[in-house]
Amino acid sequence: MSNKKNKVIEAATKLFAEKGFENTSMANICLEANVSKGLVYHHFKSKESILIEIFTNVTDKMIEMNAKSKSSQEPKLQLVQLIETIFYQLECDKTFFQLNLNIMFQPTTRQILKEQIEKRASILLNSVKNIFDQISLEKSTLLSYVFIAEIDGISLNYLTVFDEYPLDMIKQELINKYIHF
């Protein structure tokens, strides 16, 4: 991917996260990326295509990360590794997680990304369920939904509700919960 295209994607991600998709114009993206409209339209048909590319790229990274994290470790250790990875990403890439929240709460973006959101949700659920299958086949689907809901709730609180959110302590508490499960 070209450097200028990357600049457009980075600028759009930042603006979509901060202002929302609907409140971000192509002119805003060009200004933030310090590129011309012609360059943006050379790489992207529309603002929607930028959003789809951002979301697809991140989903591809999730798939890649999931493939790397699969191991022959005991399932509880796989859960710990997954929790560590999620919390690390949450701290390191706050803008992306804020973008995800904006996407989920805006009907327009949910509709634009419907297919990609469903694909990502399926990948995440299956990945978590594979771990819980090894722990408890009987309740693995339910446990997977609960685990994902916990992560979503933690992310929501960390990103939007509390200024002094004890993320490290919550991560440790979640690890303790699942290691002693």
Side-chain angles (χ1 to χ4, degrees), residues 20-37:
F21 176 79
E22 292 173 346
N23 295 325
T24 301
S25 67
M26 288 296 266
N28 295 138
I29 295 169
C30 294
L31 188 63
E32 181 74 26
N34 197 26
V35 297
S36 69
K37 275 190 180 181

Side-chain angles (χ1 to χ4, degrees), residues 15-24 47 102 106:
L15 291 170
F16 293 162
E18 291 173 357
K19 297 172 64 170
F21 176 79
E22 292 173 346
N23 295 325
T24 301
K47 185 170 74 164
N102 284 342
Q106 292 179 30

Side-chain angles (χ1 to χ4, degrees), residues 106-179:
Q106 292 179 30
T108 304
T109 51
R110 281 188 61 79
Q111 188 58 42
I112 293 168
L113 295 170
K114 185 177 182 351
E115 184 180 311
Q116 289 85 359
I117 290 169
E118 289 172 1
K119 177 183 176 184
R120 181 188 288 175
S122 176
I123 290 166
L124 179 59
L125 179 63
N126 288 332
S127 175
V128 173
K129 187 178 179 309
N130 285 335
I131 297 170
F132 279 112
D133 280 346
Q134 298 172 59
I135 296 171
S136 170
L137 274 173
E138 182 181 311
K139 295 166 85 178
S140 63
T141 301
L142 177 61
L143 293 171
S144 299
Y145 282 119
V146 168
F147 179 82
I148 292 168
E150 286 175 314
I151 297 297
D152 286 347
I154 291 165
S155 300
L156 180 64
N157 281 290
Y158 172 65
L159 295 170
T160 64
V161 179
F162 300 103
D163 291 333
E164 299 295 322
Y165 198 69
L167 195 60
D168 285 333
M169 291 170 54
I170 290 172
K171 175 182 75 173
Q172 196 54 54
E173 193 63 32
L174 201 59
I175 288 171
N176 290 341
K177 173 184 176 179
Y178 285 105
I179 206 79

Side-chain angles (χ1 to χ4, degrees), residues 22-118:
E22 292 173 346
N23 295 325
T24 301
S25 67
M26 288 296 266
N28 295 138
I29 295 169
C30 294
L31 188 63
E32 181 74 26
N34 197 26
V35 297
S36 69
K37 275 190 180 181
L39 182 123
V40 173
Y41 283 108
H42 171 73
H43 291 289
F44 302 99
K45 288 187 229 175
S46 63
K47 185 170 74 164
E48 289 82 4
S49 66
I50 296 172
L51 180 66
I52 291 168
E53 176 136 352
I54 292 167
F55 203 83
T56 301
N57 288 345
V58 173
T59 299
D60 291 345
K61 286 179 187 173
M62 285 175 60
I63 293 168
E64 201 175 294
M65 203 168 44
N66 184 43
K68 286 179 185 176
S69 70
K70 284 186 178 177
S71 68
S72 58
Q73 287 181 334
E74 188 225 326
K76 290 180 184 181
L77 293 178
Q78 289 179 44
L79 271 178
V80 169
Q81 183 179 11
L82 181 59
I83 292 167
E84 292 279 359
T85 301
I86 290 168
F87 277 74
Y88 175 78
Q89 289 298 320
L90 189 56
E91 273 188 294
C92 290
D93 205 355
K94 206 170 183 176
T95 302
F96 166 72
F97 283 94
Q98 287 170 325
L99 172 63
N100 264 340
L101 281 176
N102 284 342
I103 287 168
M104 295 303 167
F105 290 125
Q106 292 179 30
T108 304
T109 51
R110 281 188 61 79
Q111 188 58 42
I112 293 168
L113 295 170
K114 185 177 182 351
E115 184 180 311
Q116 289 85 359
I117 290 169
E118 289 172 1

